[in-house]
Amino acid sequence: MKLRVVEIQQNILRKNDDLARALRDRFAASHTLVINLLSSPGSGKTTLLEATLRHFASRYRVGARVGDQATRNDADRLERSGAPVRQITTAAECRLDAGMIGKALAGWDALPLDILFIENVGNLICPAEYDLGEDVRVALCAVTEGEDKPLKYPLAFNTSHIALLTKTDLAEAVGFDRDAAYAAIRSVHPKSEILEVATRTGAGLERWYAALESRLEQKRGVAVTA
Amino acid sequence: MHELSVALTLLDEVGTAAARERATGVSSVRLRIGRMSGIAPDALVFAWEIARADTIAAQAELHIEDVGVTVFCPRCEGERASVEGGGLVCGTCGTTAASIVHGRELELVSMEVVS
């Protein structure tokens, strides 16, 4: 019997990264803009997505895959928007991974889409580590959650392109400190785009839609010139 | 929170490497886990000890190097430790320095195999 040390030096999540790269190539070929929504449970991902799908459905081919540990309640809610929506039930898993997305897209008749929204499992820790091949990662934080959320979950906000403060219609009622929230976001991601929405009243939604649309144009522009 | 799925993924990678090395067993596995990786080392060890049963790594101990968070500080012009819970801020001068140098590691460094 002989013992020896084998040097390996590789990322444990290498397989996920490989699968995510393949998804990204595939979305590039179909010119699909992919948005990955991350937040704690209850930050308003589904409500925002319902409004967003409704807004874009008349002009673009939009669809969503939503991850939850159990139930297909979110998919049922989102289907009311008229856009194609499918639930991914993750059971024991606390996040989506690239393999789940690949499987979920296989044989989906809604493809190809202009915009694919992926609503991740409500969790700010685990999903941050898993690349899903998305173009835009959005971290949502409701004003009711506390201004220091980005400091508690720095990776989620550091790896997101957009920090979206939600439920701003409740800001006054809960004594939300806007400056502190912006400072917290900036301290983990100085260049983060920060947007505010109150989906129920519609405040801020136009800017959110414009942010998505400009990225869609950018993606199509790149696709055309490539 | 996803330590069990990371343990299973790790086990796959270890199995692949062991087969490549034509090993008959794995006695230890060395990892580097960053403080910002979302993985709690204790929970990973717990999950590993369950997951490794009946595999080529059934006896393999995990050795985890804990990697603290460091950032590249634009003002100090160098790598500096960041303050835990204080954002990605240089621990020396307090400048916000959100480019992470270390702390995200989830690395399989090496393993000791039996052959």
Side-chain angles (χ1 to χ4, degrees):
Chain A
M1 194 179 89
K2 209 175 82 194
L3 281 177
R4 65 195 157 92
V5 174
V6 180
E7 294 294 327
I8 300 178
Q9 302 286 1
Q10 71 178 43
N11 186 341
I12 298 171
L13 301 180
R14 179 181 62 113
K15 270 188 190 140
N16 186 77
D17 293 342
D18 291 346
L19 289 169
R21 209 169 299 124
L23 282 175
R24 193 165 275 119
D25 289 345
R26 179 176 162 183
F27 295 137
S30 62
H31 309 172
T32 304
L33 181 75
V34 182
I35 317 286
N36 182 6
L37 299 172
L38 257 59
S39 82
S40 321
S43 300
K45 290 188 295 302
T46 311
T47 306
L48 176 76
L49 196 46
E50 200 177 340
T52 307
L53 289 172
R54 226 182 268 277
H55 174 80
F56 284 114
S58 60
R59 284 176 299 142
Y60 298 111
R61 294 167 297 174
V62 289
R65 305 293 319 205
V66 289
D68 277 299
Q69 288 198 321
T71 81
R72 44 165 293 116
N73 295 351
D74 281 2
D76 289 345
R77 258 176 82 187
L78 291 170
E79 266 172 358
R80 286 188 258 147
S81 69
V85 177
R86 293 285 183 281
Q87 186 80 43
I88 303 174
T89 309
T90 61
E93 297 292 1
C94 48
R95 79 292 180 279
L96 293 173
D97 62 38
M100 291 176 187
I101 300 298
K103 257 186 225 155
L105 297 182
W108 195 22
D109 56 9
L111 304 179
L113 294 168
D114 296 314
I115 312 178
L116 169 66
F117 291 93
I118 301 170
E119 181 183 330
N120 221 309
V121 179
N123 175 350
L124 277 175
I125 306 170
C126 316
E129 277 301 332
Y130 290 82
D131 183 2
L132 304 181
E134 73 266 28
D135 298 291
V136 187
R137 186 178 282 196
V138 183
L140 287 77
C141 178
V143 297
T144 51
E145 292 180 55
E147 298 83 1
D148 58 351
K149 205 99 197 213
L151 300 178
K152 292 176 175 165
Y153 304 98
L155 192 60
F157 288 86
N158 178 266
T159 59
S160 290
H161 306 87
I162 301 177
L164 191 62
L165 294 168
T166 61
K167 307 189 187 181
T168 54
D169 47 333
L170 302 177
E172 209 180 320
V174 295
F176 177 68
D177 183 341
R178 178 169 282 100
D179 291 344
Y182 273 64
I185 295 166
R186 297 260 185 251
S187 77
V188 296
H189 189 172
K191 291 179 182 152
S192 179
E193 181 169 358
I194 305 176
L195 296 172
E196 300 182 24
V197 295
T199 310
R200 267 163 36 115
T201 65
L205 285 178
E206 287 308 321
R207 283 191 62 197
W208 159 246
Y209 297 148
L212 295 181
E213 208 153 2
S214 75
R215 284 175 169 84
L216 179 62
E217 277 164 22
Q218 212 176 348
K219 178 133 196 184
R220 289 176 154 182
V222 168
V224 169
T225 51
Chain B
M1 244 190 294
H2 56 303
E3 281 79 0
L4 183 57
S5 85
V6 170
L8 292 169
T9 307
L10 174 62
L11 204 53
D12 267 355
E13 298 290 350
V14 166
T16 306
R20 191 173 58 223
E21 297 293 328
R22 301 180 193 284
T24 54
V26 179
S27 56
S28 68
V29 174
R30 195 165 290 279
L31 308 179
R32 300 181 79 227
I33 305 286
R35 293 259 175 93
M36 206 182 271
S37 68
I39 289 295
D42 289 350
L44 182 59
V45 169
F46 181 78
W48 173 256
E49 288 175 357
I50 295 165
R52 68 182 178 179
D54 300 323
T55 70
I56 195 165
Q59 308 294 326
E61 296 298 325
L62 274 193
H63 299 289
I64 299 178
E65 183 191 337
D66 175 43
V67 183
V69 180
T70 62
V71 293
F72 183 84
C73 175
R75 192 162 156 209
C76 302
E77 297 186 339
E79 183 183 341
R80 296 287 184 271
S82 82
V83 185
E84 209 162 322
L88 295 168
V89 170
C90 172
T92 306
C93 73
T95 301
T96 297
S99 92
I100 303 168
V101 180
H102 288 295
R104 291 194 62 181
E105 289 82 352
L106 260 184
E107 284 170 17
L108 169 53
V109 177
S110 64
M111 56 194 223
E112 191 178 51
V113 298
V114 184
S115 57

